[in-house]
Amino acid sequence: MGLSPKEYSNIIRFQNALSLIKNSKQNRSLLDIAFECGYYDHSHLSNEIRRNTGLSPSLL
């Protein structure tokens, strides 16, 4: 695939977090989603969102 196992797992983790953010029926905090997906804190998840989408989490 041309990706290292770490890069691949980061993509899967990000896709999971993005899915939870978009499809959450309840207003879950970004911190809860970050912890559930294996991020250290909400800042780490926010930086990944900006890096991968170019948008801030509030615009999702």
Side-chain angles (χ1 to χ4, degrees), residues 12-22 33 37 39 45:
I12 298 302
R13 180 172 65 161
F14 175 73
Q15 288 176 341
N16 185 35
L18 195 59
S19 175
L20 288 174
I21 291 169
K22 287 185 175 183
I33 293 171
C37 294
Y39 290 97
L45 177 56

Side-chain angles (χ1 to χ4, degrees), residues 41-55:
D41 58 10
H42 75 284
S43 177
H44 186 196
L45 177 56
S46 295
N47 290 336
E48 285 291 306
I49 292 171
R50 281 190 198 96
R51 187 174 64 84
N52 289 314
T53 67
L55 301 171

